[in-house]
Amino acid sequence: MSEQECLLKVQNVSKSFPGVRALDNISFRVSKGSVHALVGENGAGKSTLMKILLGLYHPDTGKIYFNGEKKHFYHPKDALNAGIAMIHQELSCARELTVAQNIFLAKELTLKHTQFLDKKRMIEQSYELLQRIGIDNIDPNTKIKDLSVAKQQMCEIAKAISYNAALILMDEPTAAIPSNDVLTLFEIIRALKKEGKTIIYVTHKLEEIFEIADKVSVFRNGMHVDTIDTSATNKDALIQMMVGRDIVDLYAKEKANIGDVVLQVENLSCSKKFDNVSFTLKKGEILGVAGLVGAGRSEIMETLFGIRQKKTGKIFISGKEVNIRSPRDAIKNGLAFLTEDRKNSGCFLPLSVRINTYIASIKQHSGRLFVRRKKTVESTKQMIDALSIKVSSMEDQINNLSGGNQQKVLVARWLLTEPEILIVDEPTRGIDVGAKAEVHRLLVNLALKGKAIIMISSEMSEILAMSDRIMTVSSGRVTGFIDAKEATQEKILKCCMD
Amino acid sequence: MQIKIQDQNIFKKVMKKYSTILILLMMMLIMTILNPKFLTTNNLMNILRQQTPIAIMAFGVNLAIISGGIDISVGSVIAMAAVILAKFAKVDSSGAGYPLIVPIIASLLAGGAAGLINGVVIAYGKVPPFIATLGMMSVARGVALIISKGRPITGFSDAFNFIGGGTFLGLPFPIYILLASYLIIYAILHLTKFGTYIFAIGSSQMAAEVSGVNVKKTKVVIYVISGVFTGIAAIVLASRTLSGQPAVGEGYEMNAITAAIIGGTSFSGGIGTAFGTFIGALIMGVLTNGMTMLQIEPAMQMVVRGSVIVLAVFADQYRNNYKS
């Protein structure tokens, strides 16, 4: 591609976060007037790259050329002024404002020589903008909150062109909209292309790429694998590239004796999140749950644990039907849940390590009214030793601990409830390699003791190394069960994209 | 080098733990220098006696703040409880009336009922604590005015008047009530399961829910306790002023909240102690008493008190910068 045809050139861009190399020497080009897809597994580096293009993150090294000029965006406003706009996955409209107000947010038109709003002109221009992308059924006077998600997205696109953006980034635009609206979206994209706009399209749905994109760039583990014409490839080849061949066996798992069924879930549904989920779990088994972000994995487990209310379905524990309406019910029935969001739904940041450890088993550590302090000190001490938690005093705020040690405290919290079934959601996210291996060892030891474990993970290597069986989830449905012996990355990914 | 860092940490910890006491002592020292009459047994007893209702209210409000909520209704609830108890504490010309226990129970029930409504509206109605208690602030004041027909109720039995005005073993009787209230709130907050739940909810409601805490029930009980403690404060106040006045208590909620905040309770929840609130209430008492002794006019006193609460919250933000 010649320099003139090239709209965006990313050259040797790297970006690291503590413990993670998110982007590793990325170079690729996007040509003017094309639809360019980005694909890759969770954590492959797509989002980081988008955030760099938008000025939300700053690259450690490397250069970005836009329209032939070297650019450095310090702030989303810089990117916007240069002509880069983004349609976010979670829409970022002001919901209480109207379509027109949103489109002209922070660049309102005023009547000549005054500071008064020129509402008429803004509404007219909003209407024209919507027409340009072929939309004539949205009234610019409606409030955003009264529109469907698909229509909100259309308004965002209209807003993007109102900035005269030459490059529009779309982050999984079809993740939250029904299939008939997807067709409309594709029409819009084609219209934009005809106008000479360039689109970077991030998606997990590979079929879409072949329908809409000219080129596709594949990312893996922060590296750019290749950029190819969509006409020169197919779905299997893309999956192959996304997965790569380098499976590192990080954790030597000891296989536990698999016992009787301890948990049986039948046709569990939760409105708008997932439908008809059924699975079983046996003693000593680690059931890996794989799926893309947003597939509904966490929601299934949250419903099982009583955080969300189920619509239909039955849950049996050790053959007996149980009615779980709150986490309290779940804990009483021998369930434990290590949540994904350590900071918000896990740790009590201002409180001591000791309180953080005994809180879920407080009943076992108290009399009728009073907490038995001595007992909590003993239990905490025992856990600190058993899990080798690094802490100077158990009265320290948990906030002062590293992520890995915080995670171990949370594991300790749930171990003290003596659960039969432990659900862990992304148990090693954001913790360093050493702590990761320790958390894995902990889980394996629990399985060896006959506990049943459900492990949600977005890390393919973790799923493969730890699981006895793998359940795949896609768009709120269970799409398959794969025995660990037959599991490969390709197989899992295929089911996850089903 | 290592040792030095540890030293600094210990210094910081000591400062954090005892900074409120230091502030109190420093204020007392300054007041004594400015006016030697400050440091007399008589005056100190006076401060305690005056500050008792505020301190007891602050104990309850403190629980709400630690749980991440707020109770701004206490200034009106104390008036409502005071006029309700006054109805029962009143004796006729021959000295006949209800037994002493009746007005006491009535006051605790009145405060508790207001707290129960606050708690249910907040926990089950999901109304923000500020709004729910703002509503109660107006409702309770209105009820106080209706019951009393807008006039103070006076004429109590001697036994009732002893609660606020009597002395026992050489100390004003209210001080015993203050200490008993402190011990009760200390036990509730720092020794019981329920107290742990308060801290947990204030740190992260979601994490508390997931850990099996009954968040709704806990919240209701928090506001009931806040109401009941306001009821206790009402008994002391009515007995000391020898009347149930519907207009009493205006601005008390601000004093109670300020006491808790000065005492190290974090407005973002999860942090606070019963002891700190006690000291915070005394600091407010010393401040008011001192300013009066120095003949600072009431309007200026308001300016100072207002500044103190903002400064206290400012310091709180500084202490808890990790949440941002």
Side-chain angles (χ1 to χ4, degrees), chain A residues 3 25 161 177 292 325 361 363 425-427 432 446 485:
Chain A
E3 287 298 322
N25 207 16
I161 26 179
I177 63 176
L292 301 163
R325 278 170 308 175
S361 55
K363 297 236 158 67
D425 194 351
E426 305 284 2
D432 62 67
L446 287 173
K485 278 179 239 120

Side-chain angles (χ1 to χ4, degrees), chain A residues 18-34:
Chain A
V20 202
R21 195 158 174 85
L23 288 180
D24 193 354
N25 207 16
I26 300 278
S27 298
F28 79 108
R29 294 164 174 227
V30 177
S31 50
K32 256 178 210 161
S34 70

Side-chain angles (χ1 to χ4, degrees), chain A residues 1 27-31 34-41 46 49 199-219 223-239 241-242 497:
Chain A
M1 144 187 5
S27 298
F28 79 108
R29 294 164 174 227
V30 177
S31 50
S34 70
V35 177
H36 195 116
L38 299 187
V39 295
E41 282 185 86
K46 298 162 299 182
L49 181 63
I199 287 143
I200 292 184
Y201 190 94
V202 176
T203 187
H204 281 310
K205 299 180 184 166
L206 298 183
E207 296 84 10
E208 294 177 356
I209 293 171
F210 295 98
E211 192 155 337
I212 196 76
D214 303 304
K215 279 183 187 266
V216 53
S217 292
V218 183
F219 285 79
M223 282 181 286
H224 173 229
V225 182
D226 202 359
T227 297
I228 36 178
D229 288 339
T230 39
S231 53
T233 183
N234 59 42
K235 199 174 154 184
D236 286 336
L238 281 181
I239 290 183
M241 285 163 75
M242 285 162 68
M497 296 194 160

Side-chain angles (χ1 to χ4, degrees), chain B residues 16 76-77:
Chain B
K16 207 171 163 182
S76 297
V77 172

